[in-house]
Amino acid sequence: MNADGRTRLDQTPEWTALAKHREELGNLRLREVFAAHPDRGTAYTLRVGDLYIDYSKHLVTDDTLRLLRELAAATDVFGLRDAMFRGERINTTEDRAVLHTALRAPRDAVIEVDGENVVPGVHAVLDKMAAFADRVRSGEWTGHTGKRIRNVVNIGIGGSDLGPAMAYEALRAFTDRDLTVRFVSNVDGSDLHEAVRDLDPAETLFVIASKTFTTIETVTNATSARTWLLDALGGEEAAVARHFVALSTNAEKVADFGIDTANMFEFWDWVGGRYSYDSAIGLSLMIAVGPDRFREMLDGFHLVDEHFRTAPAESNVPLLLGLLGVWYGNFLGAQSHAVLPYSHYLSKFTAYLQQLDMESNGKYVDRDGREVRWQTGPVVWGTPGTNGQHAYYQLIHQGTKLIPADFIGFAEPVAELSDELKAQHDLLMANFFAQTQALAFGKTPDEVRAEGVPEELVPHKTFKGDHPTTTILARELTPSVLGQLVALYEHKVFVQGAIWNIDSFDQWGVELGKVLAKRVEPALTEGADVPGLDASSRALVAAYRELRGR
Ligand code: F6P
């Protein structure tokens, strides 16, 4: 039993029914399934907003989908969803509400946390961000020496980096090309060094993004950035106010750091780091694309929020995607999930999803603190598709592992491309469609023989097929479409966490490494003795010190 009185997941009749169904189904052959149901290619599709979703190439039947939906009902996914949208404290281990959906709610919406409507506060910050972004973009906001800001450097890590960095890349075609926008996250000093080495400090604005404002990587890089700036501008502390702004929930720490809280854009503890880029954390993105485009992106998020909140189970896309992941991870033994965008602008999309999915659902205990007896979040990986084709697709096609994959593609390129480059788009998309076809239907030995291939090479050139994919297609990668895509994945992750009965909104697993790093640092710098350091780490520290000549 769970603390709420419900049966544990793997003892529910719905789970058992799925396990039995999986046995009975055996190895589903997509060729046979499509032969028996020629309309599957249109029947197994859904639309949400501008997204067309094809799930026909999955190893599922109508019965599988029905049983999965029954599992969702038994685990009350929609009940938890409603609690999230109502602002209940569903992040139980941190005792917090989970309300990233409020960040994109319309101005007149009412969403309460502890009896207070949070929507006016959300819009007040968005308005403040918009006013500031406009001042930077127009040149009205100048640096300490009176020069116009031409460079924006976002310093943050995890959710305070991946979201804005990914979205900046994704929406590059919509950015002000006269502005240089860079993202620094790594505590490796070379990250900051390379980001600023060709910039004029007098024209550079640092956006320090940290929910807690205690994250060591960010505070260290921000301190070094301040030194770099002050060294160049004559050391006057007053310069900091013109060149540093902060995005945080922690006004006290921001002030301690030396940033005027008038230059702080706030957000709230009910916004998780990996769900934060449409809060103040998106400021550098807003400066790059402008407030209107930013709002279009938020509208895209909201559209999918509303779909997730209201669509029935049969046509609810995040629910479907979440359930497909449960099917592969819990009943077919898949360990990972590939996300393969066929848009170079989405080159950071999968890295962003890694935090969203793996920090959310990489948990081994359930909400009641008991070890789970079922697989939870998959390893999420991938890079833009055509590059992947010449790297790891071999393993997806002919390896021994089951790797469900999402293919994301667009009908039109967005940028102002030359006619010749525009024409390349059909070639890109031909690859996109060809790959999911090859993965699903493969090539039989007889087909290989019919091409005159010598018998000894037939097994090597045979493709078994039955590699499942979801295809997500949209007309073009606009700000709204980006918002729709991200919200789709956010809610997919939510669905899976709800089914697995884990807290998708905490991240305790990151803590231990942080604590140990603090303990080990004096051993590296001063050779200090670290009590309790294991023999392997002790020897490594000694080797490191020797290599550094200490
Ligand atoms: O990786 C752990 C984490 O806490 C993430 O959840 C968060 O996005 C990141 O660190 C950065 O945290 P902050 O915004 O507080 O600097």
Side-chain angles (χ1 to χ4, degrees), residues 381 387-401 403 435 439 459-463 467:
W381 60 283
N387 296 4
Q389 284 173 215
H390 296 273
Y392 49 78
Y393 274 39
Q394 165 67 34
L395 185 145
I396 308 182
H397 280 288
Q398 288 190 315
T400 52
K401 293 174 177 57
I403 302 174
Q435 286 298 327
L439 286 166
H460 298 280
K461 296 199 166 194
T462 296
F463 289 67
H467 300 291

Side-chain angles (χ1 to χ4, degrees), residues 518-533 537-538 541-542 545 550:
K518 263 193 198 141
R519 278 181 56 204
V520 171
E521 200 193 352
L524 304 184
T525 50
E526 301 149 24
D529 187 37
V530 179
L533 197 65
S537 306
R538 189 179 296 277
V541 167
R545 282 183 59 79
R550 287 181 178 154

Side-chain angles (χ1 to χ4, degrees), residues 410-413 420-433:
F410 302 90
E412 299 269 358
E420 193 180 358
L421 289 177
K422 243 186 206 157
Q424 291 182 202
H425 195 73
D426 287 334
L427 180 57
L428 169 73
M429 292 307 284
N431 276 279
F432 176 81
F433 294 118

Side-chain angles (χ1 to χ4, degrees), residues 239-253:
V240 172
R242 304 300 302 174
H243 292 269
F244 279 79
V245 296
L247 321 174
S248 188
T249 58
N250 193 339
E252 206 181 312
K253 291 278 177 203

Side-chain angles (χ1 to χ4, degrees), residues 221-277:
N221 275 323
T223 306
S224 300
R226 187 171 55 185
T227 306
W228 175 80
L229 182 99
L230 292 180
D231 282 355
L233 298 187
E236 264 183 78
E237 278 292 325
V240 172
R242 304 300 302 174
H243 292 269
F244 279 79
V245 296
L247 321 174
S248 188
T249 58
N250 193 339
E252 206 181 312
K253 291 278 177 203
V254 168
D256 286 353
F257 180 82
I259 297 179
D260 186 344
T261 46
N263 294 339
M264 170 179 151
F265 299 82
E266 68 161 335
F267 59 113
W268 308 271
D269 76 352
W270 40 262
V271 182
R274 53 195 174 274
Y275 298 87
S276 67
Y277 97 76

Side-chain angles (χ1 to χ4, degrees), residues 157-160 209-213 215 218 273-274 355 359 507 510 514:
I157 197 164
S160 300
S210 177
K211 178 176 170 181
T212 55
F213 231 78
T215 305
T218 301
R274 53 195 174 274
Q355 188 200 16
E359 198 166 87
Q507 55 285 315
V510 190
K514 285 188 197 169

